[in-house]
Amino acid sequence: MKTLTLTRPDDMHLHLRDGAQMRDVLADTTRQFARAIIMPNLKSPVVSTGQALKYRKRIIESLPEHIQGKGDFKPLMTLYLTETTSAEEIRQAKQSGLIHAVKYYPAGATTNSESGVTALDKVYPVLEAMAKQNLPLLVHGEVTSSDVDIFDREAVFIERQLCPLMEDIPELRIVFEHITTKDAVDFVNEGPGGLAATITPQHLLLNRNALFIGGIRPHHFCMPVLKAEAHRCAVVDAAISGSPKFFLGTDSAPHAREAKESACGCAGIYSAHNAIELYAEIFEKSACLDKLEAFASHHGADFYGLPRNEGTITLEKKSWQIPETLAFGESIIIPFRAGEHCQWKIKQ
Ligand code: DOR
Ligand code: ZN
């Protein structure tokens, strides 16, 4: 049987939620990943070091029993940037040694982004403090103005927000999260070493047609929304390029089934159940399986200045059916590609 052994990978962009729902999704992530960058967009966002450390404790207490107390999984915490975040908060975050980045949501861009920032220049003192402390800014790279077409939000973000920011604070290290367009790929490739990007499985596997195949497909809806095929191809090329500027970040974002299958369905795709297997499928399709380990296990750690993981995981080439539903607190989630077959399986 064909197998593939990799250094244990890291998920550099993950939504875990909280409480009983978090308990249900943590088993999926910890089966594959040694560490994950934990997004701070809880209903009540994680805006202070104190809150991030309490959230970290809840995550550790919710780990599956068989890995409790083993230090096998490390949550890498982040803060949610608001217009009232202070430079002092940034110093405390860095000093904690447990907070690895600050997330910028443009206000109104996506799930729980109401407390986000309306204009970046309002938070320049905080961004300057981050540059000084070498704490990266993670950007949800989409403008929210109603004059911009939803498919152009990422490209316009580069021009209106990212370029001026990088010119004004060149020392600030930035991760352009979940890139979806050729514009973003080119921009990151041409940018300085302090600029990198995460790539999700859905933006590698699907183009925007997947939103409308035979009817509207709420389980393919996420932000940034899927793009046209030419953009998907550019994102695949970036992932398999071997460039250290691109690394794995699933943006796995669970929502209860009823919140997705609704007249106004939530944005977010749950890929954590079989994320590494999906990435293996994509890299194999491009005949670049040999590039998967660096993308999944090296580039992210190197960017964040973390040691690479020591253990390994092994994947087997084996077709298996992704479940139709998974438990999610009092409800259920429909995982990405529910009911379909996946061609790689992690060896337990
Ligand atoms: O689709 C998304 N869902 N995009 C985001 O940026 C947030 C996420 C969520 O938290 O549900
Ligand atoms: Zn996200």
Side-chain angles (χ1 to χ4, degrees), residues 13 15 17 39 41 103 105 109-112 140 142 178 202 221-224 251-255 260 266-269:
H13 186 130
H15 298 268
R17 314 305 188 205
M39 288 297 130
N41 65 330
K103 179 74 188 270
Y105 288 103
T110 186
T111 310
N112 298 337
H140 181 108
E142 292 193 289
H178 40 55
Q202 64 264 26
F221 175 53
C222 63
M223 295 303 283
D251 196 18
S252 178
H255 289 276
K260 297 278 302 167
C266 292
I269 293 180

Side-chain angles (χ1 to χ4, degrees), residues 103-257:
K103 179 74 188 270
Y104 162 47
Y105 288 103
T110 186
T111 310
N112 298 337
S113 62
E114 300 75 18
S115 316
V117 171
T118 54
L120 266 183
D121 51 10
K122 290 191 181 168
V123 294
Y124 266 21
V126 177
L127 299 178
E128 278 154 4
M130 286 170 56
K132 209 163 136 199
Q133 302 281 342
N134 192 22
L135 208 53
L137 181 72
L138 314 183
V139 300
H140 181 108
E142 292 193 289
V143 292
T144 54
S145 352
S146 55
D147 63 313
V148 179
D149 187 276
I150 193 162
F151 292 104
D152 299 332
R153 282 174 159 200
E154 188 172 278
V156 175
F157 178 86
I158 296 173
E159 172 198 316
R160 290 195 193 164
Q161 297 200 30
L162 209 45
C163 287
L165 170 64
M166 288 170 58
E167 208 160 292
D168 293 342
I169 314 180
E171 317 77 40
L172 182 64
R173 303 176 74 239
I174 297 174
V175 182
F176 198 160
E177 298 289 337
H178 40 55
I179 54 165
T180 62
T181 57
K182 181 171 188 315
D183 311 68
V185 168
D186 292 345
F187 186 74
V188 172
N189 266 324
E190 288 156 20
L195 175 67
T198 53
I199 299 182
T200 75
Q202 64 264 26
H203 295 113
L204 291 168
L205 280 164
L206 303 179
N207 66 35
R208 64 191 183 185
N209 291 340
L211 285 162
F212 306 109
I213 292 177
I216 193 147
R217 299 286 181 167
H219 298 292
H220 287 163
F221 175 53
C222 63
M223 295 303 283
V225 73
L226 297 171
K227 300 297 191 301
E229 178 63 7
H231 289 298
R232 186 193 70 83
C233 292
V235 176
V236 171
D237 286 346
I240 64 174
S241 67
S243 162
K245 287 170 150 283
F246 301 101
F247 46 86
L248 186 158
T250 61
D251 196 18
S252 178
H255 289 276
R257 175 185 181 156

